[in-house]
Amino acid sequence: MTTEARRTEEPARTRLRPLGPGQARIVDGFLAERQRVNREATIPHGFEQLGRAGPLDNLRLAAGGDGRYRARADTSGATFPFLDSDVYKWLEAVGWELGRGPDPGLAAAADQAIALVAAAQRPDGYLNSYVQVVGDGVPYRDLAWGHELYCVGHLIQAAVAWQRALGDDRLLAIAVRAADKVERDLGPGGREGVDGHPNVEMALVELTRVTGDRRYLALAARLLDLRGKGLLGEGRFGAAYWQDHLPVREAATVAGHAVRQLYLDCGAVDVAVELGDDALLAAVRGRFEEMVATRTYLTGGLGSRHRDEAFGDPFELPPDRAYAETCAAIASVMLGWRLLLATGEAGYADAVERALYNGVLSGVSLSGTRFLYVNPLQRRTHRAWEPPGHGERAPWYPCACCPPNLMRLLSAWQQYLASSDDDGVQLHQYASADLEADVAGGAVGLAVRTGYPWDGRVTVEVTRTPERPWTLSLRVPGWSRSATLSGPAGAGARSAGPGVADLSRRWAAGDTVTLELDLPVRVTEPDPRVDAVRGCVAIERGPLVYCIEAADRAARTELEEVRVGQPIVEDTRRDDVAPAVIGVRLATSSNDEVDAIPYFAWANRRPGAMRVWIPTGDGEAPA
Amino acid sequence: MTTEARRTEEPARTRLRPLGPGQARIVDGFLAERQRVNREATIPHGFEQLGRAGPLDNLRLAAGGDGRYRARADTSGATFPFLDSDVYKWLEAVGWELGRGPDPGLAAAADQAIALVAAAQRPDGYLNSYVQVVGDGVPYRDLAWGHELYCVGHLIQAAVAWQRALGDDRLLAIAVRAADKVERDLGPGGREGVDGHPNVEMALVELTRVTGDRRYLALAARLLDLRGKGLLGEGRFGAAYWQDHLPVREAATVAGHAVRQLYLDCGAVDVAVELGDDALLAAVRGRFEEMVATRTYLTGGLGSRHRDEAFGDPFELPPDRAYAETCAAIASVMLGWRLLLATGEAGYADAVERALYNGVLSGVSLSGTRFLYVNPLQRRTHRAWEPPGHGERAPWYPCACCPPNLMRLLSAWQQYLASSDDDGVQLHQYASADLEADVAGGAVGLAVRTGYPWDGRVTVEVTRTPERPWTLSLRVPGWSRSATLSGPAGAGARSAGPGVADLSRRWAAGDTVTLELDLPVRVTEPDPRVDAVRGCVAIERGPLVYCIEAADRAARTELEEVRVGQPIVEDTRRDDVAPAVIGVRLATSSNDEVDAIPYFAWANRRPGAMRVWIPTGDGEAPA
């Protein structure tokens, strides 16, 4: 390491502590299968695509190789100067994966990529293939659109993953040099400037956590403080597009490009908890709350507008033109997790769950190799001549931010399951998993077993425990209406309302706790202020949002005729969609039946219409 | 003129003939006032803006002047290579205006502009300031995005206006040289290529009509035939964006960028009627019919999507995110008028009327100097930091296609009122106007007087007539339910259903016909397939669509609480909005009242929410 290491002296002021990457392992069930597909299909597919699409070659060019730089999606003049970040996100995913278990093929591919990254870096630490090859080599000239700090942020996050999961510092050395270059030029005493796409802020805080060097934290804080002062200008979409319309501490609502806002707020939470900046944390919490209340799709999707990939006005939530970028749902998971740790409030875990099971997982096919960039809640029709991306899955995208973002999230998913504090262990998400955690009295081991999300029973066996009493906390999701919690033999079952159910006691190895979550099918009515789905209902079951798809309506490609009536007929096994999937059969108002499947599984069969929000009533359906 | 003039030998095969530019004059009333504002405020404002924004200077640079070319809206890399066309559209408007009456100030401004255009043209006829100054001077290199033929099209249309309205051939000489250059390079025997933005096709047909030279018509036909063969590629938005996904004769529906589709279809109708190509005409008619049935806003607005300014799927008509570009409504007027002449069917005039009184006129403020590019049917809120263009009128736009398009349409509006054929005269739109027309027997003169659209009585006095009988036809709008037509003394009143009411007789000067159109307030329910406005109604009165605006709700900026009940209380005079405007007062389901104003008049008072579609019912409104 080239930087002077000044260890951070106090831990972040969060209510809860994350588990370490080796302390959680998903062993079976739904999420284990999604992780398996991610590891065995998606990540290898990603390396192939990075080779085909240009990002690896672009780094090779920056290292002095010959060839044509690839940064243009098409002939329209759109330029994508941020493709390095796809490599970094893929590397981050591989870091987490190799931490979960060895894979020589993945390791070899990663070694290739790391070597390219290392070779591309300039002696001064600067690293951005676009500026080095296509541009004039002068750093930070186009902070508004150039994504230079954004790319450094993803480089740092990959480096942090490799360091944390594997103790491998190769990427960290590169990242530190790159961050030091940023710090020299844009840090205290340097030029005032912020990146048009936030991301580096949270990465810099992580870099301080890993290296102990607080200069990065200070730089992150500086970048937050400089935002909202007009340094980026109006751009094409107005200053709110990149959250430069108001200071980060003052903006009362989310605004502009959804991923930019959410990444910015991740960095703001990280800075706030490191510096004990309660006002900054409160600003993010206020925005998050308003966002969930007025601008969040039922699927956890975020961003109502295609043109600028932006949040819309309050209650502007069109199902058909939902943008709901996969990256925005992922970013909301990252932010919800940070707020959960900072505050301990279960509502943030509810938001994480809603996003993961719906708006995130819809972004990747069941096969793992085809993606949705945009995740609408309604698809009206299928037109063969329409370009992919709006209900047609694609193997990659010219702007390929989403696929490797999915890879890194799913590779790290076990880290989102639980946390600890001095008093005990908190279970936030349910999957069959083996967990370790440190409480004041010593090490705790837990074996969680469940058929979630299909089945609501969650058993937690204590496999290791200190002598002293500690508290096991289990989240009861906000949608639950009649959950029960049973303690070890002798502790009778008690009902548990939404929020947190906990048991404090002196535990013994072999003690078992059972949480029974109720999973009835729910008929959800929209907020009356959401104009676009007035007169409709949606179907939910546990954490899953359901949809109807034309593939389940013989010979039809549209769903215009469906009007859903009461009641729900039955759950159905839908092994035709994917193994173990439970569907829902609905009665229509024309005495017909229609099958609904989980939203995450849509667009995996023949192309055609899809609806989450289904009109009710009868008689008004067109003939 | 530098081109060999070969006169076209047979007239276009249209069912009806347009009046000449000197044969119609709007003398009083609503549209006269809109024309007055256009002439006295909008067009002078346009010249000032063309001077400030760059287009005039850009031509000066092409002519050899010094300075910086202006074609970029912002720092995002968006380039606007089509700004010459703004000058041409403004010149077209001035041509029609000077034809309506002299104005030394406008004439002097136009002389300046014409001199710049003339000086910018190269000896080879080529004329495009962007390619000449910013590019490498090689013509037609970037047909997909360069808009070179698009600009030539607007140059031709300006030239046609000056020739027809004034007999002034200065622009025509320039246009002919420019068209000849296109024809040499891209005509028969030349390279195969089409422009990414259709427009030149209809202009070339008009150039044949004015010059008699059928080479331009042949070039237009060739450009139509070459479309849909993939010459433009997929671009950023897919081939349908520029209607290159299917041949013009084969595409069953409109698709892609709305203005591009509609301009293309204008050219297709023009070629079809000149060549007697019934299959081509039928294809356009089919698309228009499908568009009106499935993809047209109540306001006549077209284009549901911001991202690519495109038509959406059938019934994808979100009111809040309606794009409904002012230019698209104008283009639909141009296309509807061509189809009306081609077929004589009154439904096309209905479409023209709906677009003009709503989606077109909303595009310009009552003052005439502020514009809307986008014309939504709902505005949820007002945010001071949001960039203009989505409910905030702006004095000009970086991409300023709409303002001069409004100017040229309103300057020529009298030409849309009526037509003739050998058998008689057809009145399509109602305004107080003096008309002349030629029928088989000789010249007809008509004096139309009406308070339309506020009042439904239309009187038509025959001021000149040939001896032989002829037929006076009057359109009865599709929304009418109980119109009556009264002939000259002795001919009793009779009811007239939607379509055309006509009277055939031997006329005498002084004969008067009266059409009484019923103008009750109508409560319009949406098609149940339009998800976005389910459970809402709209208010209409005659040709006008109404809206509610927060400016009429004391101290409120949003309209979330309004649920409209029955019945309509009363018409109201709304001189506070604009002189003579009639408003509508509605009862809400909370026993409140809410005032509605004509949609065209929205966004002229304080900023705030607006709705065309208003939720019905009670009890479900949020507190």
Side-chain angles (χ1 to χ4, degrees), chain A residues 74-76 145 240 295 305 313 316 320-321 378 380 383 385 528-529 531 611 620 622, chain B residues 75-76 145 236 240 295 305 313 316 320-321 378 380 383 385 528-529 531 611 620 622:
Chain A
D74 49 51
T75 61
S76 71
W145 294 103
R295 299 175 218 244
R305 298 183 177 178
D313 288 328
E316 178 192 317
D320 46 357
R321 290 294 284 173
Q378 178 181 4
R380 295 177 172 278
R383 301 189 288 200
W385 44 260
R529 290 167 291 193
D531 293 290
R611 296 192 77 118
E620 68 165 23
Chain B
T75 61
S76 72
W145 294 103
R236 184 173 186 177
R295 299 175 217 242
R305 298 183 178 178
D313 288 328
E316 179 192 318
D320 47 357
R321 290 294 285 172
Q378 178 181 4
R380 294 177 172 276
R383 299 190 288 200
W385 44 261
R529 290 166 293 193
D531 293 290
R611 297 192 75 118
E620 70 165 19

Short mmCIF file of all heavy atoms in Angstrom, two decimals, chain A residues 74-76 145 240 295 305 313 316 320-321 378 380 383 385 528-529 531 611 620 622, chain B residues 75-76 145 236 240 295 305 313 316 320-321 378 380 383 385 528-529 531 611 620 622:
data_model
loop_
_atom_site.label_atom_id
_atom_site.label_comp_id
_atom_site.label_asym_id
_atom_site.label_seq_id
_atom_site.Cartn_x
_atom_site.Cartn_y
_atom_site.Cartn_z
N ASP A 74 -24.28 3.71 -30.57
CA ASP A 74 -24.98 3.75 -31.85
C ASP A 74 -24.47 4.95 -32.62
O ASP A 74 -23.46 5.55 -32.27
CB ASP A 74 -26.48 3.85 -31.60
CG ASP A 74 -26.76 4.95 -30.58
OD1 ASP A 74 -26.26 6.07 -30.77
OD2 ASP A 74 -27.47 4.68 -29.60
N THR A 75 -25.22 5.32 -33.63
CA THR A 75 -24.80 6.44 -34.47
C THR A 75 -25.40 7.76 -34.02
O THR A 75 -25.25 8.76 -34.68
CB THR A 75 -25.22 6.18 -35.92
OG1 THR A 75 -26.65 6.08 -35.96
CG2 THR A 75 -24.60 4.91 -36.46
N SER A 76 -26.07 7.76 -32.88
CA SER A 76 -26.79 8.97 -32.50
C SER A 76 -25.88 9.98 -31.81
O SER A 76 -26.30 11.07 -31.49
CB SER A 76 -27.93 8.63 -31.54
OG SER A 76 -27.41 8.24 -30.29
N TRP A 145 -20.43 14.93 -16.95
CA TRP A 145 -20.85 13.76 -17.71
C TRP A 145 -19.79 12.67 -17.81
O TRP A 145 -20.05 11.59 -18.31
CB TRP A 145 -21.26 14.17 -19.14
CG TRP A 145 -22.47 15.02 -19.18
CD1 TRP A 145 -22.50 16.38 -19.37
CD2 TRP A 145 -23.84 14.62 -19.01
NE1 TRP A 145 -23.79 16.84 -19.34
CE2 TRP A 145 -24.64 15.79 -19.12
CE3 TRP A 145 -24.47 13.39 -18.78
CZ2 TRP A 145 -26.03 15.77 -19.00
CZ3 TRP A 145 -25.86 13.37 -18.66
CH2 TRP A 145 -26.62 14.55 -18.77
N ALA A 240 -31.48 19.23 -10.90
CA ALA A 240 -31.98 18.16 -10.03
C ALA A 240 -31.62 16.78 -10.57
O ALA A 240 -31.59 15.80 -9.82
CB ALA A 240 -33.49 18.27 -9.86
N ARG A 295 -43.38 7.72 -4.08
CA ARG A 295 -42.72 7.53 -5.39
C ARG A 295 -42.15 6.14 -5.57
O ARG A 295 -41.20 5.95 -6.32
CB ARG A 295 -41.59 8.54 -5.56
CG ARG A 295 -42.05 9.98 -5.52
CD ARG A 295 -40.87 10.91 -5.56
NE ARG A 295 -41.08 12.05 -4.71
CZ ARG A 295 -41.17 13.31 -5.15
NH1 ARG A 295 -41.03 13.58 -6.41
NH2 ARG A 295 -41.39 14.29 -4.32
N ARG A 305 -39.76 7.84 -14.91
CA ARG A 305 -39.61 8.51 -16.21
C ARG A 305 -38.45 7.93 -17.02
O ARG A 305 -37.35 7.78 -16.52
CB ARG A 305 -39.35 10.00 -15.98
CG ARG A 305 -40.50 10.68 -15.29
CD ARG A 305 -40.27 12.17 -15.14
NE ARG A 305 -41.46 12.77 -14.52
CZ ARG A 305 -41.56 14.06 -14.21
NH1 ARG A 305 -40.55 14.88 -14.48
NH2 ARG A 305 -42.66 14.53 -13.67
N ASP A 313 -43.13 13.07 -10.20
CA ASP A 313 -43.80 13.79 -9.14
C ASP A 313 -44.37 12.79 -8.13
O ASP A 313 -44.48 11.60 -8.42
CB ASP A 313 -44.96 14.61 -9.74
CG ASP A 313 -44.45 15.80 -10.53
OD1 ASP A 313 -43.40 16.35 -10.17
OD2 ASP A 313 -45.12 16.18 -11.51
N GLU A 316 -46.86 9.91 -9.21
CA GLU A 316 -46.72 9.68 -10.66
C GLU A 316 -46.05 8.32 -10.82
O GLU A 316 -44.84 8.22 -10.82
CB GLU A 316 -45.88 10.80 -11.27
CG GLU A 316 -45.65 10.62 -12.77
CD GLU A 316 -44.57 11.56 -13.29
OE1 GLU A 316 -44.58 12.74 -12.91
OE2 GLU A 316 -43.72 11.10 -14.06
N ASP A 320 -47.13 1.11 -16.95
CA ASP A 320 -46.61 0.72 -18.26
C ASP A 320 -45.30 1.41 -18.59
O ASP A 320 -44.41 0.81 -19.17
CB ASP A 320 -47.64 0.97 -19.36
CG ASP A 320 -48.29 2.34 -19.26
OD1 ASP A 320 -48.00 3.09 -18.30
OD2 ASP A 320 -49.10 2.67 -20.14
N ARG A 321 -45.20 2.66 -18.21
CA ARG A 321 -43.98 3.40 -18.50
C ARG A 321 -43.10 3.54 -17.28
O ARG A 321 -42.21 4.41 -17.23
CB ARG A 321 -44.33 4.78 -19.08
CG ARG A 321 -44.92 4.70 -20.48
CD ARG A 321 -43.92 4.19 -21.48
NE ARG A 321 -42.93 5.21 -21.83
CZ ARG A 321 -41.88 4.97 -22.59
NH1 ARG A 321 -41.66 3.75 -23.06
NH2 ARG A 321 -41.03 5.93 -22.87
N GLN A 378 -46.45 -3.12 -16.18
CA GLN A 378 -47.44 -3.49 -17.19
C GLN A 378 -46.75 -3.48 -18.54
O GLN A 378 -45.99 -2.57 -18.86
CB GLN A 378 -48.61 -2.49 -17.21
CG GLN A 378 -49.64 -2.79 -18.29
CD GLN A 378 -50.77 -1.78 -18.32
OE1 GLN A 378 -50.75 -0.80 -17.59
NE2 GLN A 378 -51.75 -1.99 -19.18
N ARG A 380 -48.11 -3.82 -22.46
CA ARG A 380 -49.38 -3.87 -23.16
C ARG A 380 -49.43 -4.88 -24.27
O ARG A 380 -50.45 -5.49 -24.54
CB ARG A 380 -49.69 -2.49 -23.75
CG ARG A 380 -49.89 -1.47 -22.69
CD ARG A 380 -50.12 -0.10 -23.26
NE ARG A 380 -50.50 0.76 -22.18
CZ ARG A 380 -51.72 0.85 -21.69
NH1 ARG A 380 -52.70 0.17 -22.25
NH2 ARG A 380 -51.97 1.63 -20.67
N ARG A 383 -44.40 -6.17 -29.86
CA ARG A 383 -44.18 -5.78 -31.25
C ARG A 383 -42.79 -6.22 -31.65
O ARG A 383 -41.80 -5.80 -31.05
CB ARG A 383 -44.32 -4.27 -31.41
CG ARG A 383 -45.70 -3.80 -30.97
CD ARG A 383 -45.92 -2.35 -31.32
NE ARG A 383 -45.16 -1.48 -30.48
CZ ARG A 383 -45.44 -0.19 -30.30
NH1 ARG A 383 -46.48 0.36 -30.93
NH2 ARG A 383 -44.70 0.57 -29.54
N TRP A 385 -40.87 -5.50 -33.89
CA TRP A 385 -39.87 -4.55 -34.38
C TRP A 385 -39.39 -3.59 -33.30
O TRP A 385 -38.57 -2.73 -33.54
CB TRP A 385 -40.40 -3.77 -35.58
CG TRP A 385 -41.81 -3.28 -35.45
CD1 TRP A 385 -42.93 -3.85 -35.98
CD2 TRP A 385 -42.26 -2.13 -34.73
NE1 TRP A 385 -44.04 -3.14 -35.65
CE2 TRP A 385 -43.67 -2.07 -34.88
CE3 TRP A 385 -41.63 -1.13 -33.99
CZ2 TRP A 385 -44.45 -1.06 -34.31
CZ3 TRP A 385 -42.41 -0.14 -33.41
CH2 TRP A 385 -43.79 -0.12 -33.58
N PRO A 528 -55.29 6.19 -3.60
CA PRO A 528 -56.17 6.86 -4.58
C PRO A 528 -55.50 8.00 -5.32
O PRO A 528 -56.02 8.47 -6.33
CB PRO A 528 -57.34 7.36 -3.73
CG PRO A 528 -56.85 7.34 -2.32
CD PRO A 528 -55.81 6.27 -2.24
N ARG A 529 -54.37 8.44 -4.84
CA ARG A 529 -53.67 9.51 -5.56
C ARG A 529 -52.83 9.01 -6.71
O ARG A 529 -52.32 9.81 -7.50
CB ARG A 529 -52.80 10.29 -4.56
CG ARG A 529 -53.64 11.12 -3.60
CD ARG A 529 -52.82 11.63 -2.43
NE ARG A 529 -52.43 10.52 -1.55
CZ ARG A 529 -51.92 10.67 -0.33
NH1 ARG A 529 -51.74 11.88 0.16
NH2 ARG A 529 -51.60 9.64 0.39
N ASP A 531 -52.99 8.05 -9.94
CA ASP A 531 -53.99 8.08 -11.01
C ASP A 531 -53.90 6.87 -11.94
O ASP A 531 -54.91 6.36 -12.39
CB ASP A 531 -53.81 9.34 -11.86
CG ASP A 531 -54.12 10.60 -11.08
OD1 ASP A 531 -55.30 10.81 -10.78
OD2 ASP A 531 -53.19 11.35 -10.77
N ARG A 611 -49.46 -7.68 -16.56
CA ARG A 611 -50.01 -6.64 -15.68
C ARG A 611 -49.79 -7.01 -14.23
O ARG A 611 -50.08 -8.15 -13.82
CB ARG A 611 -51.53 -6.51 -15.82
CG ARG A 611 -52.06 -6.06 -17.15
CD ARG A 611 -53.53 -5.69 -17.01
NE ARG A 611 -53.65 -4.42 -16.38
CZ ARG A 611 -54.21 -3.33 -16.95
NH1 ARG A 611 -54.73 -3.42 -18.16
NH2 ARG A 611 -54.26 -2.21 -16.30
N GLU A 620 -67.41 -3.12 -17.86
CA GLU A 620 -66.76 -2.06 -18.61
C GLU A 620 -65.59 -2.56 -19.44
O GLU A 620 -64.94 -1.78 -20.11
CB GLU A 620 -66.27 -0.95 -17.67
CG GLU A 620 -65.13 -1.35 -16.74
CD GLU A 620 -64.46 -0.14 -16.10
OE1 GLU A 620 -65.09 0.93 -16.01
OE2 GLU A 620 -63.31 -0.26 -15.70
N PRO A 622 -63.74 -3.93 -22.56
CA PRO A 622 -64.08 -3.90 -23.98
C PRO A 622 -64.34 -5.29 -24.50
O PRO A 622 -63.84 -6.27 -23.96
CB PRO A 622 -62.82 -3.29 -24.61
CG PRO A 622 -61.72 -3.58 -23.65
CD PRO A 622 -62.35 -3.61 -22.28
N THR B 75 -24.23 21.05 -22.12
CA THR B 75 -22.93 20.39 -22.04
C THR B 75 -23.04 18.88 -22.17
O THR B 75 -22.06 18.17 -21.99
CB THR B 75 -22.27 20.69 -20.67
OG1 THR B 75 -23.12 20.19 -19.64
CG2 THR B 75 -22.06 22.18 -20.48
N SER B 76 -24.24 18.39 -22.48
CA SER B 76 -24.43 16.93 -22.47
C SER B 76 -23.96 16.29 -23.76
O SER B 76 -23.98 15.09 -23.88
CB SER B 76 -25.90 16.59 -22.26
OG SER B 76 -26.62 16.91 -23.43
N TRP B 145 -29.09 11.41 -38.73
CA TRP B 145 -29.29 12.42 -37.69
C TRP B 145 -29.05 13.84 -38.18
O TRP B 145 -29.30 14.79 -37.42
CB TRP B 145 -28.36 12.14 -36.50
CG TRP B 145 -28.67 10.88 -35.78
CD1 TRP B 145 -27.99 9.71 -35.86
CD2 TRP B 145 -29.76 10.64 -34.87
NE1 TRP B 145 -28.57 8.75 -35.07
CE2 TRP B 145 -29.67 9.30 -34.44
CE3 TRP B 145 -30.81 11.43 -34.38
CZ2 TRP B 145 -30.57 8.72 -33.55
CZ3 TRP B 145 -31.71 10.86 -33.49
CH2 TRP B 145 -31.59 9.53 -33.09
N ARG B 236 -30.53 4.97 -32.08
CA ARG B 236 -30.57 4.85 -30.63
C ARG B 236 -31.89 4.26 -30.15
O ARG B 236 -31.97 3.70 -29.07
CB ARG B 236 -30.40 6.25 -30.05
CG ARG B 236 -30.33 6.30 -28.57
CD ARG B 236 -29.99 7.72 -28.18
NE ARG B 236 -29.77 7.84 -26.75
CZ ARG B 236 -29.41 8.97 -26.17
NH1 ARG B 236 -29.23 10.04 -26.89
NH2 ARG B 236 -29.23 9.02 -24.87
N ALA B 240 -37.98 1.89 -35.95
CA ALA B 240 -39.32 2.47 -36.00
C ALA B 240 -39.30 3.95 -35.61
O ALA B 240 -40.20 4.69 -35.98
CB ALA B 240 -40.27 1.72 -35.07
N ARG B 295 -54.46 5.96 -30.22
CA ARG B 295 -53.24 6.64 -29.73
C ARG B 295 -53.36 8.15 -29.76
O ARG B 295 -52.35 8.85 -29.86
CB ARG B 295 -52.03 6.24 -30.60
CG ARG B 295 -51.75 4.76 -30.56
CD ARG B 295 -50.63 4.42 -31.54
NE ARG B 295 -50.88 3.14 -32.17
CZ ARG B 295 -50.10 2.08 -32.05
NH1 ARG B 295 -49.02 2.15 -31.34
NH2 ARG B 295 -50.41 0.94 -32.64
N ARG B 305 -44.72 9.34 -25.28
CA ARG B 305 -43.45 9.04 -24.63
C ARG B 305 -42.46 10.18 -24.76
O ARG B 305 -42.23 10.69 -25.86
CB ARG B 305 -42.84 7.77 -25.24
CG ARG B 305 -43.72 6.56 -25.02
CD ARG B 305 -43.09 5.30 -25.56
NE ARG B 305 -43.96 4.14 -25.27
CZ ARG B 305 -43.70 2.91 -25.65
NH1 ARG B 305 -42.59 2.64 -26.33
NH2 ARG B 305 -44.53 1.93 -25.36
N ASP B 313 -47.82 2.41 -27.16
CA ASP B 313 -48.65 1.29 -27.54
C ASP B 313 -50.11 1.78 -27.65
O ASP B 313 -50.45 2.84 -27.14
CB ASP B 313 -48.56 0.19 -26.47
CG ASP B 313 -47.22 -0.52 -26.49
OD1 ASP B 313 -46.64 -0.65 -27.58
OD2 ASP B 313 -46.78 -0.97 -25.42
N GLU B 316 -52.00 3.49 -24.63
CA GLU B 316 -50.99 4.02 -23.69
C GLU B 316 -51.05 5.54 -23.80
O GLU B 316 -50.38 6.14 -24.63
CB GLU B 316 -49.61 3.49 -24.06
CG GLU B 316 -48.50 4.01 -23.15
CD GLU B 316 -47.12 3.72 -23.71
OE1 GLU B 316 -46.91 2.60 -24.21
OE2 GLU B 316 -46.28 4.62 -23.70
N ASP B 320 -50.37 12.65 -17.48
CA ASP B 320 -49.30 13.46 -16.87
C ASP B 320 -48.04 13.44 -17.70
O ASP B 320 -47.34 14.44 -17.81
CB ASP B 320 -49.03 13.00 -15.44
CG ASP B 320 -48.91 11.49 -15.31
OD1 ASP B 320 -49.09 10.78 -16.33
OD2 ASP B 320 -48.63 11.01 -14.21
N ARG B 321 -47.72 12.28 -18.26
CA ARG B 321 -46.51 12.18 -19.05
C ARG B 321 -46.79 12.20 -20.54
O ARG B 321 -45.95 11.79 -21.35
CB ARG B 321 -45.74 10.91 -18.68
CG ARG B 321 -45.13 10.99 -17.29
CD ARG B 321 -44.05 12.05 -17.17
NE ARG B 321 -42.82 11.61 -17.82
CZ ARG B 321 -41.77 12.40 -17.99
NH1 ARG B 321 -41.81 13.65 -17.61
NH2 ARG B 321 -40.68 11.95 -18.55
N GLN B 378 -52.27 16.57 -17.72
CA GLN B 378 -52.29 16.67 -16.27
C GLN B 378 -50.94 17.19 -15.82
O GLN B 378 -49.89 16.75 -16.29
CB GLN B 378 -52.53 15.30 -15.63
CG GLN B 378 -52.51 15.33 -14.09
CD GLN B 378 -52.72 13.95 -13.48
OE1 GLN B 378 -52.81 12.95 -14.16
NE2 GLN B 378 -52.81 13.92 -12.17
N ARG B 380 -49.13 17.65 -12.09
CA ARG B 380 -49.42 17.28 -10.71
C ARG B 380 -49.08 18.36 -9.72
O ARG B 380 -49.74 18.53 -8.71
CB ARG B 380 -48.61 16.03 -10.34
CG ARG B 380 -49.04 14.84 -11.12
CD ARG B 380 -48.19 13.62 -10.81
NE ARG B 380 -48.80 12.50 -11.46
CZ ARG B 380 -49.80 11.82 -10.93
NH1 ARG B 380 -50.26 12.13 -9.75
NH2 ARG B 380 -50.36 10.83 -11.59
N ARG B 383 -42.77 22.64 -9.17
CA ARG B 383 -41.52 22.63 -8.43
C ARG B 383 -40.62 23.69 -9.04
O ARG B 383 -40.30 23.63 -10.23
CB ARG B 383 -40.87 21.26 -8.52
CG ARG B 383 -41.75 20.18 -7.92
CD ARG B 383 -41.04 18.87 -7.79
NE ARG B 383 -40.84 18.25 -9.09
CZ ARG B 383 -40.59 16.95 -9.23
NH1 ARG B 383 -40.53 16.17 -8.17
NH2 ARG B 383 -40.40 16.44 -10.43
N TRP B 385 -37.64 24.28 -8.97
CA TRP B 385 -36.33 23.93 -9.51
C TRP B 385 -36.40 23.07 -10.78
O TRP B 385 -35.39 22.67 -11.32
CB TRP B 385 -35.48 23.23 -8.46
CG TRP B 385 -36.19 22.19 -7.66
CD1 TRP B 385 -36.72 22.34 -6.41
CD2 TRP B 385 -36.47 20.84 -8.04
NE1 TRP B 385 -37.30 21.17 -5.99
CE2 TRP B 385 -37.16 20.24 -6.97
CE3 TRP B 385 -36.20 20.08 -9.18
CZ2 TRP B 385 -37.59 18.92 -7.01
CZ3 TRP B 385 -36.64 18.77 -9.22
CH2 TRP B 385 -37.32 18.20 -8.15
N PRO B 528 -62.35 2.29 -21.92
CA PRO B 528 -61.91 1.51 -20.74
C PRO B 528 -60.53 0.91 -20.91
O PRO B 528 -59.94 0.46 -19.94
CB PRO B 528 -62.97 0.42 -20.61
CG PRO B 528 -63.68 0.39 -21.92
CD PRO B 528 -63.58 1.76 -22.50
N ARG B 529 -60.01 0.91 -22.12
CA ARG B 529 -58.66 0.36 -22.31
C ARG B 529 -57.56 1.37 -22.00
O ARG B 529 -56.39 1.02 -21.96
CB ARG B 529 -58.53 -0.15 -23.74
CG ARG B 529 -59.35 -1.41 -23.99
CD ARG B 529 -59.49 -1.75 -25.46
NE ARG B 529 -60.29 -0.74 -26.14
CZ ARG B 529 -60.79 -0.88 -27.37
NH1 ARG B 529 -60.57 -1.99 -28.04
NH2 ARG B 529 -61.51 0.07 -27.92
N ASP B 531 -55.81 2.75 -19.48
CA ASP B 531 -55.63 2.51 -18.04
C ASP B 531 -55.43 3.80 -17.26
O ASP B 531 -55.90 3.93 -16.13
CB ASP B 531 -54.41 1.61 -17.81
CG ASP B 531 -54.64 0.21 -18.36
OD1 ASP B 531 -55.45 -0.51 -17.78
OD2 ASP B 531 -54.02 -0.14 -19.37
N ARG B 611 -55.62 19.45 -14.54
CA ARG B 611 -56.13 18.14 -14.94
C ARG B 611 -57.18 18.31 -16.03
O ARG B 611 -58.09 19.13 -15.90
CB ARG B 611 -56.86 17.41 -13.79
CG ARG B 611 -56.04 17.04 -12.59
CD ARG B 611 -56.83 16.10 -11.71
NE ARG B 611 -56.83 14.78 -12.31
CZ ARG B 611 -56.30 13.69 -11.73
NH1 ARG B 611 -55.77 13.76 -10.52
NH2 ARG B 611 -56.32 12.53 -12.33
N GLU B 620 -63.27 8.21 -1.84
CA GLU B 620 -61.94 7.65 -1.98
C GLU B 620 -60.88 8.74 -2.13
O GLU B 620 -59.71 8.44 -2.25
CB GLU B 620 -61.86 6.68 -3.16
CG GLU B 620 -61.95 7.32 -4.52
CD GLU B 620 -61.51 6.39 -5.65
OE1 GLU B 620 -61.48 5.15 -5.43
OE2 GLU B 620 -61.20 6.88 -6.72
N PRO B 622 -58.19 11.28 -1.06
CA PRO B 622 -57.38 11.35 0.15
C PRO B 622 -57.75 12.58 0.96
O PRO B 622 -58.22 13.58 0.42
CB PRO B 622 -55.95 11.44 -0.37
CG PRO B 622 -56.08 11.98 -1.76
CD PRO B 622 -57.41 11.50 -2.27
#
